[in-house]
Amino acid sequence: QDTKIGFIVKQPEEPWFQDEWKFADQAAKEKGFTLVKIGAEDGEKLMSAIDNLGAQGAQGFIVCTPDVKLGPGIVAKAAANNLKLMTVDDRLVGADGKALEDVPHMGISATKIGEAVGQAIVDGMKARGWKADEVGAIRVSYDQLPTAVDRVEGAISVLKANGFKAENIFDAPQAKTDTEAALNAATVVLNAHADIKKWVSFGLNDEAVLGAVRASESVGIPADGMIGVGIGGADSAINEFKKPTATGFVGTVIISPKRHGYETALNMYDWVANNKEPEKLILTSGALAKRDDYQKVRQGLGIE
Amino acid sequence: MTDQLKKILLGEQGLVVIFVVAFALVSLLVPNFLTDRNMLGLLQSVVTVGIVACTMMFCLAARDFDLSVGSIVAFAGMVAVMASNYTGSILLGLLAAIACGAFVGFINGVVIAKFRINALITTLATMQIVRGLALIASDGRAVGINSPDFYQLALSKFLGIPTPVWVLALLFCIFGFVLNRTVFGKNTLAIGGNPEASRLAGVNVDRTRIWIFALQGVVCGIAGILLASRITSGQPNAAVGLELSVISACVLGGVSLAGGRATMSGVIVGVLIMGIAENAMNLLNIPAFYQYIVRGVILLLAVLLDNLRSSALGRR
Amino acid sequence: MTDQLKKILLGEQGLVVIFVVAFALVSLLVPNFLTDRNMLGLLQSVVTVGIVACTMMFCLAARDFDLSVGSIVAFAGMVAVMASNYTGSILLGLLAAIACGAFVGFINGVVIAKFRINALITTLATMQIVRGLALIASDGRAVGINSPDFYQLALSKFLGIPTPVWVLALLFCIFGFVLNRTVFGKNTLAIGGNPEASRLAGVNVDRTRIWIFALQGVVCGIAGILLASRITSGQPNAAVGLELSVISACVLGGVSLAGGRATMSGVIVGVLIMGIAENAMNLLNIPAFYQYIVRGVILLLAVLLDNLRSSALGRR
Amino acid sequence: MSFLDFSRITKTYPGVKALSDVSFGVGKGAVHGLMGENGAGKSTLIKILSGDQHADEGEIRIDGKVQAYASTRDAFDNGVIVIHQELQLVPELTVAENLSLGRFPASAGVIARGKMLEDVGAKLKSAGIDIDISRKVKTLSIGERQMVEIAKAIMLDARVIALDEPTSSLSSRESEILFALIDRLRGEGKVIIYVSHRLDEVFRLCDSLTVLRDGKLAAHHASLKGVTRDQVVAEMVGREISDIWGFRPRKAGDVRLKVEAISGEKLKAPASFEARAGEIVGFFGLIGAGRSELMRLVFGADPRSGGTIIVDGKAIHAADPHGAIRAGIVLCSEDRKHDGIIQGRSIEENINISSRRHHARFGILNRASEIATAETFIKKLKVRTPSRKQDIINLSGGNQQKVILGRWLSEQGVRVLIVDEPTRGIDVGAKAEIYELLYQLAEDGMAIVVVSSELPEVMGICDRILVMCGGRVSAELSRDQFDEKAILAAALPDTKPPTPSHPEDLT
Ligand SMILES: Nc1ncnc2c1ncn2[C@@H]1O[C@H](COP(=O)(O)OP(=O)(O)OP(=O)(O)O)[C@@H](O)[C@H]1O
Ligand SMILES: Nc1ncnc2c1ncn2[C@@H]1O[C@H](COP(=O)(O)OP(=O)(O)OP(=O)(O)O)[C@@H](O)[C@H]1O
Ligand SMILES: [Mg+2]
Ligand SMILES: [Mg+2]
């Protein structure tokens, strides 16, 4: 019987997940198994997707869940369909909020990524010789999404540890997760605090930070008055680095879709085909990419 | 022979016939489609949309509109979980969820019928308010269920078919009956067909509309409970965009947005067509971006076919 | 004195008056609101919604519905960027974007008017198809702009006011004129008032509807270009959910979903109310979850006020 | 004090005083006529009686008890049933369901279908109305719908029944059914308020009569003995009308419109006819005779399956209203609510919708000429309104009809004017003026086709009459051959002797 493995992701349109799928496909080609890619934006779609995989006769699947609290449900559903289960990116938790340690997982914690962003910002400020109390921070927030909260809180914790004052951190809630919404929200913050000339910004992803950077440009803050650090490192960030002149978007924390996609798929294949159980927990780390070194960083992560 | 065929195709139940033909085609062409497991999975995947479509049909038939269903489903699910956790009694949790749903629906109805505020705006407003409440109550994070019995709501089976599917079937029967055989159903259709005439004939238009929205709320409460049980948690972000799926399923099923026209069989077919399309696309492993296009084309084809049918029939 | 006040408040432009009062209140109560910079930021933030609302007004006034605007905006933005990059000429890129927008709109119109398919379903279908195309064309990734001149579209200023705001103002003027002073505008309103009577009065209903959708497409193309320039890239995921914001702005501005009633001043007020609400909430630092609730309440209040006004006026 | 008493009723709409200080009483077992010019306030009075509108001042008493209804429901719980001027039916429901709406026989909310069908069937049968009660109302012709509407009056036990222009789209045969019904109700001791613009009907049916003018009581006749028609007309319009038809012979010119073997889905047999320049051709028939269907085919409102239409020797290929209007054919439809008025829009726009293309340049309106056109026809047709900007839905029925006529009279380059029931709901004074307008247009060389269910009207103003029956043209008579009996015989599908009608005789 052919080996069939599912790969379910929460936001199929996002470049990040596209890349994960792409690298998983690469593994599928190498090992000769079938990869079934399904997008599931919410819990209900996810449950249907698992049923669907069961119906297709898959033997196991990898999932990046739309919500970690779905944990027990996913585990039960997988068992009911007799499917092996691994998670990627986001780790499942039980009703008590503790991680489900039985489910093999590969990922990086949202707080960790946020801390990397915070560190990059702090380094940038040091390089420019900014003092913490003359700088304003735009927290482009999307609190509806728990991961987004964890990421920005991670960044904030590092800022605070480096002497940033809480009252200089301004919330710019985006109504949607696209650049335009972030741009509009950040514009308001910038205009409300016209006296602050030096800004840093961070958010859920590259698009959010890009919005803040665009906002700073539109109100006339020069590129050297803004330090924005994004998360993801997909094309929207790379495009920014490719611009002829530097912008306030100084860097992005790249996570490797190759490891997350290729390795998980490979591990699942080994589990299914050779009954070799994967490690319970593999933690990856993000790498900061900047205008001058992004190509190198990407090569290092095996995604160029 | 051809005459008889024509009669079947063009009759009242033509949409159903088209559906049966399409279903047969999909069964033949899509591997793994017509397996027990997949059929059950398919049915379970349409439970939420199907349940909410029952009352959305009434809403549209009365020339109203309800955008708040997605939020109410999420909110009711949260309430069910939180109340169950708090009181330790699942039953109380369920009752609380349904009561909350009914309450929001009732408010919708009162604002729309009594203050004569546009239904679109009113339900858009409650959609936001209720979603906000769900987020605030849970601090934006999913709430886990303490008692594993709660999962049983969705997992338990009767005659090999999961409970939610039974609930769906039951609601289809109930609301099909209500639409065609009760005063409430006829009044709904009359209000949608000609509100002025209904008012002058002594139909209590305001009260009927309030009832419709309240029922919609109750049904959303039920859908929310089943959803929470299925995803084993109450999620404030659940069911975003549900309103659009439900409304399109209804319209696909021949419910007129101009009011006055609705059949339960049509709505069931509409719900199933949408479910089958999703299911078959995943079985066929169609890439995510192309799924958008296929989904759009299927929608168009389905209505186009139905239109050809009814214009061949001579009605306009 | 009171009589005169009543007359102003209850007159045709009552919504505008309410708006002015609300604006004054917000200016007083919200710090930093009435600064030049914030006003410009506010105007820029409503450009997309405002531009698309111009033609959505026509669409709703003719009893139609367009859900595909968000997708067209994203798609047109992508096309503008990709075509500019490919040909090396920004002008060609802009033309290509507008042409694509017009084409999609035209298809919408033909399907709706000629094949008589429900507008909701048709535009829901094109919404999916066009979004799929945008995703496929870009492989789901943002596309960067080669020529920095492209950014200038959004950054350049005239008399201290950014170009996009000028474009918005110009479109408001044009479509205000078209609605009230041209045969096309009057025909649109007539179709919305009574499509059959308009047809029998010699209005070419089909052609008018096709034109409306095609114009909608053109305008979405313009909005897409400005958006792409503003965010300095073409993003396939941009403007998701735009349709709902635009439709609510229109309805808030007194456009009737039952057709036949629309004013440009109303729509402008609707667009601004929504923009001001967002702006003020962020200035006041209202937490994200509570923003949902405030947004809902503001929507309700705005329509309620307008309703009280017009029922005091004796119209129903 | 009478059984039903209106006392000092006053009602003001923005800009219009619809009723001021109207008082009169009606006794039990009487039919009371209510007459007046278009916009005089008749329907408003009826609406107040039905609880649909509320009087600003004054009160209504029945049997000495003051009636204060919160809703229409209250009204018929108190035994007051009103048949409104505009049809109030739900198209998607069946006849039986429409007649039971608001009071379905039900137990625990579940409709007792059998009982409903039985009740409705029995009531209709006893009233002599013959309509298949399982048909959906949307499949009925306008005349049939009117009969359904009338049937509502007998569905409940009422004390007071008000009928607002019930015969405006009925032909004499159906009217007779209605009159028999009214006689029966009178015999049962009910109070009936009867609004009509047809004098002969009023004189035949009514025991007493009230005339309204400009919202005020102009005359009250407790008995019609000794009251002449001329007198009533004068009370209504404020002047004498000597000859309402005012027929003037004209010379017919060349053939303008030639319709050859035209056929369509709802027309039973292909039909042919022609109309000459300067000629007024009448089409008479009973409800469902197919006249309206034929005219809709000629105008392109419905798709035609065969036949040719020739105007001034040129065949018209376009089969839509847009093309027909440009070829010089216009149709003023019989169903003003569905096919005529554009609700929500002003009188001005309703008048200009078609003719504005002659004034617009590059699609931009010529405001001055639009205003002028609107004002002209408001004046010419005596539309009673405070302003040309008034929403057409706020006009009285007859005034709406005038506005629709104005829409077509303001068209330019019309060669063939088809008017379907042109004077439906229009008062006597305005009628005479409309006829006069038609003569003028004919004299200017237009070919005019008049479809009417009022035999006196077709006989009074037409040069030639075509009679239709069961979807076929069954007879054609020139003016010197006009004969009431012959026309009715040709219109009747079976051999039953024609019921005599009462030709309006004002001279
Ligand atoms: N809702 C309304 N708003 C404003 N004016 C109104 C409204 N309803 C009626 N009117 C006005 O009140 C007056 C009386 O109207 P009504 O309908 O009672 O006339 P009517 O006697 O029934 O005329 P007709 O013979 O044409 O039916 C008219 O001038 C009409 O324009
Ligand atoms: N929409 C419809 N569907 C089915 N039958 C219809 C429809 N409209 C009209 N008919 C039928 O077609 C026949 C012709 O109707 P039509 O309206 O042309 O008659 P008419 O001579 O103009 O009489 P009327 O005085 O009622 O206008 C009638 O028997 C009517 O019942
Ligand atoms: Mg009247
Ligand atoms: Mg007719």
Side-chain angles (χ1 to χ4, degrees):
Chain A
Q1 194 193 353
D2 287 346
T3 308
K4 206 178 223 180
I5 291 172
F7 202 127
I8 306 176
V9 303
K10 61 180 173 188
Q11 287 165 314
E13 288 81 41
E14 290 291 321
W16 163 258
F17 294 108
Q18 286 291 320
D19 283 334
E20 271 188 358
W21 273 352
K22 197 173 78 194
F23 289 113
D25 260 336
Q26 200 176 316
K29 222 170 270 144
E30 282 171 20
K31 295 290 177 187
F33 62 89
T34 314
L35 186 78
V36 180
K37 297 173 285 193
I38 303 181
E41 291 89 347
D42 60 33
E44 176 159 44
K45 292 230 175 66
L46 177 56
M47 295 302 155
S48 303
I50 300 173
D51 281 337
N52 198 300
L53 283 172
Q56 295 190 39
Q59 292 94 348
F61 69 100
I62 301 148
V63 62
C64 172
T65 172
D67 195 295
V68 292
K69 285 267 175 63
L70 291 173
I74 296 175
V75 172
K77 206 44 153 184
N81 280 290
N82 207 4
L83 291 164
K84 293 192 166 62
L85 166 66
M86 277 174 70
T87 56
V88 69
D89 298 346
D90 295 329
R91 199 170 188 196
L92 302 180
V93 301
D96 51 1
K98 290 212 190 73
L100 296 180
E101 288 173 357
D102 283 347
V103 181
H105 173 73
M106 177 185 288
I108 173 170
S109 87
T111 315
K112 279 251 163 52
I113 308 177
E115 286 166 4
V117 170
Q119 194 54 50
I121 291 177
V122 168
D123 293 347
M125 283 169 58
K126 277 201 187 116
R128 296 188 187 184
W130 291 1
K131 282 197 284 296
D133 48 6
E134 57 175 9
V135 181
I138 303 173
R139 169 191 189 264
V140 181
S141 63
Y142 191 71
D143 291 350
Q144 293 88 315
L145 209 64
T147 330
V149 179
D150 296 343
R151 286 183 178 183
V152 292
E153 290 307 326
I156 288 176
S157 68
V158 175
L159 288 185
K160 282 189 179 156
N162 283 276
F164 222 95
K165 277 191 289 191
E167 63 264 31
N168 277 3
I169 301 174
F170 305 106
D171 197 15
Q174 43 181 161
K176 291 181 286 182
T177 55
D178 62 2
T179 307
E180 193 192 8
L183 166 52
N184 289 336
T187 308
V188 174
V189 171
L190 290 169
N191 287 334
H193 304 279
D195 48 324
I196 301 179
K197 302 292 177 215
K198 295 176 178 147
W199 289 93
V200 301
S201 79
F202 48 90
L204 156 71
N205 52 19
D206 287 331
E207 281 77 13
V209 176
L210 276 174
V213 172
R214 289 292 90 80
S216 68
E217 289 165 1
S218 78
V219 301
I221 292 175
D224 57 11
M226 164 59 85
I227 300 174
V229 177
I231 296 169
D235 292 46
S236 40
I238 306 303
N239 290 336
E240 202 63 14
F241 296 146
K242 283 186 183 153
K243 282 188 175 173
T245 50
T247 67
F249 189 85
V250 301
T252 176
V253 174
I254 303 187
I255 325 158
S256 167
K258 174 152 190 186
R259 286 197 72 187
H260 287 209
Y262 182 82
E263 278 183 30
T264 45
L266 220 54
N267 289 351
M268 177 55 83
Y269 176 75
D270 274 345
W271 194 7
V272 168
N274 313 325
N275 216 1
K276 180 169 158 260
E277 214 173 309
E279 277 180 63
K280 288 290 180 215
L281 181 64
I282 304 171
L283 285 178
T284 59
S285 57
L288 178 70
K290 296 169 130 173
R291 192 177 168 79
D292 43 15
D293 65 358
Y294 71 92
Q295 273 145 330
K296 245 186 19 236
V297 174
R298 281 168 66 89
Q299 272 159 12
L301 292 170
I303 51 176
E304 189 77 337
Chain B
M1 172 59 216
T2 34
D3 262 16
Q4 223 165 12
L5 190 75
K6 235 180 174 172
K7 210 164 152 193
I8 295 177
L9 267 176
L10 300 181
E12 275 289 306
Q13 300 300 323
L15 191 65
V16 178
V17 178
I18 290 184
F19 167 74
V20 170
V21 173
F23 184 88
L25 276 179
V26 174
S27 306
L28 278 178
L29 298 179
V30 179
N32 296 317
F33 179 75
L34 204 63
T35 59
D36 288 2
R37 288 175 61 174
N38 190 52
M39 281 299 110
L40 283 186
L42 168 64
L43 286 176
Q44 278 177 285
S45 74
V46 299
V47 164
T48 310
V49 172
I51 289 184
V52 180
C54 287
T55 41
M56 186 64 89
M57 170 178 79
F58 280 77
C59 207
L60 298 178
R63 276 201 212 176
D64 274 322
F65 225 86
D66 193 347
L67 296 180
S68 65
V69 288
S71 297
I72 302 183
V73 166
F75 184 60
M78 296 274 321
V79 170
V81 173
M82 292 173 85
S84 298
N85 285 353
Y86 184 76
T87 61
S89 149
I90 291 181
L91 188 69
L92 282 181
L94 305 193
L95 288 179
I98 291 179
C100 280
F103 179 72
V104 177
F106 178 74
I107 297 287
N108 270 340
V110 170
V111 172
I112 293 169
K114 293 289 179 195
F115 299 120
R116 306 196 177 279
I117 297 192
N118 181 291
L120 187 96
I121 293 282
T122 306
T123 56
L124 191 71
T126 40
M127 160 173 144
Q128 312 247 26
I129 294 174
V130 172
R131 182 73 68 183
L133 289 179
L135 285 166
I136 293 170
S138 62
D139 200 23
R141 289 166 196 261
V143 183
I145 298 170
N146 287 347
S147 155
D149 287 349
F150 200 105
Y151 314 159
Q152 284 308 313
L153 284 175
L155 286 179
S156 62
K157 292 185 176 190
F158 176 66
L159 299 181
I161 292 174
T163 318
V165 177
W166 284 113
V167 173
L168 176 66
L170 184 71
L171 288 175
F172 278 160
C173 294
I174 292 179
F175 284 102
F177 181 83
V178 170
L179 183 70
N180 288 316
R181 298 264 175 243
T182 66
V183 176
F184 176 69
K186 285 292 173 196
N187 283 351
T188 302
L189 289 170
I191 290 174
N194 188 342
E196 183 66 8
S198 315
R199 191 176 62 81
L200 290 174
V203 174
N204 196 330
V205 176
D206 290 356
R207 204 172 57 193
T208 309
R209 290 174 85 194
I210 294 176
W211 262 105
I212 292 173
F213 280 98
L215 266 183
Q216 175 93 277
V218 169
V219 161
C220 286
I222 297 176
I225 291 168
L226 291 176
L227 181 60
S229 159
R230 190 141 177 262
I231 62 181
T232 65
S233 60
Q235 296 202 0
N237 289 322
V240 171
L242 178 68
E243 57 283 354
L244 224 53
S245 317
V246 172
I247 293 176
S248 6
C250 286
V251 175
L252 202 57
V255 179
S256 158
L257 285 183
R261 214 141 45 85
T263 61
M264 192 73 241
S265 62
V267 170
I268 297 177
V269 168
V271 168
L272 287 180
I273 287 181
M274 308 248 306
I276 290 177
E278 293 295 318
N279 185 283
M281 283 195 301
N282 284 341
L283 284 177
L284 290 174
N285 233 323
I286 297 182
F289 299 163
Y290 291 90
Q291 290 205 3
Y292 278 89
I293 295 185
V294 175
R295 222 176 277 141
V297 171
I298 288 178
L299 265 183
L300 272 189
L301 274 186
V303 222
L304 188 62
L305 266 179
D306 190 40
N307 254 46
L308 287 182
R309 194 181 60 75
S310 48
S311 71
L313 199 76
R315 1 170 173 128
R316 263 282 156 91
Chain C
M1 173 58 218
T2 35
D3 262 17
Q4 224 165 11
L5 189 77
K6 234 179 172 173
K7 210 167 154 193
I8 295 178
L9 266 175
L10 300 180
E12 274 289 304
Q13 300 301 322
L15 192 63
V16 178
V17 178
I18 290 184
F19 167 72
V20 171
V21 173
F23 185 87
L25 275 180
V26 174
S27 307
L28 279 177
L29 298 179
V30 179
N32 296 315
F33 179 74
L34 204 63
T35 60
D36 288 2
R37 288 177 61 169
N38 191 52
M39 282 296 109
L40 282 185
L42 168 64
L43 286 175
Q44 279 177 285
S45 73
V46 299
V47 164
T48 310
V49 171
I51 289 184
V52 179
C54 287
T55 40
M56 186 63 90
M57 170 179 78
F58 280 77
C59 207
L60 297 178
R63 273 199 215 180
D64 273 323
F65 225 86
D66 193 347
L67 297 180
S68 65
V69 288
S71 296
I72 303 183
V73 166
F75 184 60
M78 296 277 321
V79 169
V81 173
M82 293 174 86
S84 298
N85 285 352
Y86 184 75
T87 62
S89 149
I90 291 181
L91 189 69
L92 282 182
L94 304 194
L95 288 179
I98 291 179
C100 281
F103 179 73
V104 177
F106 177 75
I107 297 287
N108 270 339
V110 170
V111 173
I112 292 167
K114 292 288 179 195
F115 298 119
R116 307 193 178 280
I117 296 190
N118 181 289
L120 187 96
I121 293 282
T122 305
T123 56
L124 191 72
T126 41
M127 160 175 144
Q128 312 247 26
I129 294 175
V130 172
R131 182 72 68 182
L133 288 179
L135 286 166
I136 292 170
S138 62
D139 201 19
R141 284 145 214 275
V143 184
I145 299 170
N146 288 347
S147 157
D149 288 348
F150 201 105
Y151 318 156
Q152 285 307 315
L153 285 176
L155 283 179
S156 62
K157 293 188 175 188
F158 177 65
L159 300 180
I161 292 174
T163 317
V165 177
W166 283 113
V167 174
L168 176 64
L170 185 72
L171 288 175
F172 278 161
C173 293
I174 293 180
F175 283 102
F177 181 83
V178 170
L179 184 68
N180 289 314
R181 298 269 179 237
T182 66
V183 176
F184 177 70
K186 290 290 178 191
N187 283 353
T188 302
L189 289 167
I191 291 174
N194 187 343
E196 182 62 9
S198 307
R199 186 177 76 91
L200 294 177
V203 174
N204 197 330
V205 176
D206 290 356
R207 208 173 54 193
T208 309
R209 293 174 84 193
I210 294 176
W211 264 105
I212 292 173
F213 280 98
L215 266 184
Q216 175 92 279
V218 169
V219 160
C220 287
I222 298 176
I225 291 169
L226 291 176
L227 181 60
S229 160
R230 212 156 153 243
I231 59 180
T232 70
S233 62
Q235 297 196 356
N237 292 325
V240 171
L242 178 68
E243 57 283 353
L244 223 53
S245 315
V246 172
I247 293 175
S248 11
C250 287
V251 176
L252 202 54
V255 179
S256 157
L257 285 183
R261 216 142 43 86
T263 61
M264 192 74 241
S265 62
V267 170
I268 296 176
V269 167
V271 168
L272 287 179
I273 287 181
M274 308 249 306
I276 291 176
E278 294 293 320
N279 188 284
M281 283 195 301
N282 283 350
L283 282 177
L284 290 174
N285 240 320
I286 297 181
F289 300 163
Y290 291 89
Q291 291 207 3
Y292 278 90
I293 296 184
V294 176
R295 222 176 277 140
V297 172
I298 288 178
L299 267 181
L300 274 188
L301 273 186
V303 226
L304 187 61
L305 266 179
D306 189 41
N307 254 46
L308 287 182
R309 194 181 60 76
S310 49
S311 72
L313 200 76
R315 3 171 171 125
R316 260 290 154 89
Chain D
M1 191 187 290
S2 322
F3 183 70
L4 168 64
D5 247 329
F6 293 91
S7 151
R8 311 190 61 93
I9 306 275
T10 299
K11 171 84 188 172
T12 312
Y13 292 112
V16 186
K17 189 138 204 182
L19 289 173
S20 66
D21 205 13
V22 172
S23 312
F24 64 93
V26 189
K28 241 181 154 161
V31 180
H32 185 82
L34 193 55
M35 297 197 79
E37 277 184 298
N38 295 127
K42 305 178 295 292
S43 300
T44 306
L45 193 66
I46 300 289
K47 282 181 193 157
I48 291 172
L49 175 65
S50 78
D52 178 23
Q53 300 274 341
H54 301 279
D56 302 337
E57 280 166 48
E59 59 192 23
I60 295 173
R61 283 187 297 270
I62 296 180
D63 214 1
K65 276 224 304 275
V66 174
Q67 308 290 308
Y69 312 133
S71 69
T72 49
R73 171 106 220 175
D74 266 5
F76 52 70
D77 286 346
N78 278 292
V80 176
I81 295 190
V82 165
I83 306 305
H84 292 274
Q85 183 172 9
E86 298 299 337
L87 298 177
Q88 300 293 358
L89 298 169
V90 183
E92 291 286 338
L93 297 187
T94 63
V95 173
E97 283 164 349
N98 264 287
L99 289 175
S100 315
L101 189 61
R103 42 187 174 267
F104 285 110
S107 58
V110 179
I111 296 174
R113 266 184 67 76
K115 184 166 160 32
M116 174 180 84
L117 292 177
E118 208 173 282
D119 284 359
V120 173
K123 282 266 165 70
L124 288 192
K125 194 150 176 241
S126 77
I129 298 173
D130 175 31
I131 290 177
D132 179 0
I133 57 171
S134 60
R135 265 171 83 184
K136 283 196 174 169
V137 161
K138 66 174 177 186
T139 67
L140 302 182
S141 77
I142 181 118
E144 289 169 313
R145 290 180 200 199
Q146 182 77 60
M147 291 307 284
V148 175
E149 188 74 49
I150 287 167
K152 280 185 185 170
I154 50 163
M155 289 308 296
L156 269 189
D157 266 339
R159 296 189 286 173
V160 175
I161 299 172
L163 301 143
D164 195 350
E165 298 192 33
T167 53
S168 65
S169 47
L170 296 187
S171 64
S172 49
R173 193 166 67 143
E174 291 83 14
S175 299
E176 286 304 326
I177 299 176
L178 174 67
F179 298 160
L181 195 63
I182 290 178
D183 281 334
R184 201 183 87 193
L185 294 169
R186 170 177 21 216
E188 290 167 10
K190 321 230 155 173
V191 177
I192 294 158
I193 309 275
Y194 189 81
V195 180
S196 176
H197 289 294
R198 298 185 180 174
L199 276 165
D200 54 332
E201 286 177 1
V202 171
F203 274 88
R204 170 178 166 188
L205 280 175
C206 297
D207 306 299
S208 50
L209 174 70
T210 295
V211 179
L212 294 179
R213 193 154 101 220
D214 284 345
K216 297 190 197 65
L217 194 78
H220 180 78
H221 304 282
S223 147
L224 283 184
K225 273 208 192 82
V227 179
T228 67
R229 289 166 190 231
D230 285 352
Q231 186 187 344
V232 173
V233 171
E235 283 162 359
M236 256 164 66
V237 247
R239 67 191 153 95
E240 304 253 320
I241 295 182
S242 51
D243 171 13
I244 184 181
W245 313 122
F247 184 78
R248 290 204 301 268
R250 273 153 277 109
K251 263 198 64 170
D254 297 334
V255 174
R256 275 242 119 125
L257 170 71
K258 198 170 162 69
V259 174
E260 280 175 347
I262 194 172
S263 58
E265 207 178 329
K266 286 178 209 145
L267 202 66
K268 298 244 166 59
S272 309
F273 69 95
E274 54 181 49
R276 294 171 175 276
E279 193 183 25
I280 300 183
V281 181
F283 273 79
F284 179 76
L286 302 180
I287 288 187
R291 297 159 298 164
S292 301
E293 289 308 323
L294 174 58
M295 296 310 151
R296 285 175 63 88
L297 287 177
V298 173
F299 184 56
D302 292 330
R304 61 174 186 257
S305 53
T308 43
I309 296 164
I310 300 165
V311 174
D312 284 344
K314 248 179 50 205
I316 313 248
H317 299 292
D320 55 19
H322 181 76
I325 291 170
R326 273 148 191 80
I329 306 180
V330 303
L331 166 73
C332 180
S333 157
E334 66 177 337
D335 185 353
R336 71 165 167 260
K337 189 170 175 200
H338 186 257
D339 295 339
I341 64 167
I342 293 166
Q343 55 275 44
R345 307 312 305 171
S346 66
I347 296 177
E348 177 189 335
E349 282 177 50
N350 269 282
I351 290 180
N352 282 311
I353 179 161
S354 176
S355 62
R356 61 162 53 107
R357 67 202 154 87
H358 302 294
H359 311 296
R361 277 178 162 256
F362 309 114
I364 295 172
L365 305 179
N366 181 340
R367 291 288 301 145
S369 80
E370 297 226 326
I371 294 170
T373 312
E375 295 288 4
T376 309
F377 283 93
I378 288 172
K379 217 181 281 149
K380 223 179 198 167
L381 296 168
K382 296 215 168 65
V383 178
R384 189 167 186 262
T385 174
S387 135
R388 67 184 146 83
K389 292 184 186 147
Q390 178 78 296
D391 186 345
I392 191 167
I393 203 80
N394 289 338
L395 292 187
S396 77
N399 282 310
Q400 289 178 2
Q401 182 75 16
K402 291 182 190 171
V403 171
I404 305 301
L405 275 174
R407 172 187 301 166
W408 295 119
L409 298 179
S410 69
E411 254 297 342
Q412 295 172 9
V414 177
R415 298 155 199 257
V416 182
L417 172 65
I418 308 174
V419 283
D420 197 350
E421 312 283 2
T423 56
R424 193 181 149 208
I426 285 192
D427 69 52
V428 189
K431 255 186 194 171
E433 279 146 25
I434 287 169
Y435 297 146
E436 180 57 31
L437 264 172
L438 291 182
Y439 300 143
Q440 275 170 24
L441 293 172
E443 273 159 18
D444 294 346
M446 216 181 264
I448 295 178
V449 178
V450 178
V451 177
S452 175
S453 304
E454 251 186 288
L455 187 51
E457 181 172 81
V458 273
M459 287 175 62
I461 65 168
C462 297
D463 300 309
R464 191 152 53 90
I465 294 179
L466 280 84
V467 184
M468 286 189 75
C469 175
R472 291 180 180 77
V473 176
S474 57
E476 180 170 352
L477 305 90
S478 59
R479 193 159 176 97
D480 47 8
Q481 300 169 311
F482 283 4
D483 171 57
E484 194 181 311
K485 286 222 175 68
I487 295 176
L488 276 174
L492 281 175
D494 42 40
T495 47
K496 263 193 284 174
T499 28
S501 100
H502 298 251
E504 215 159 335
D505 174 21
L506 286 166
T507 38

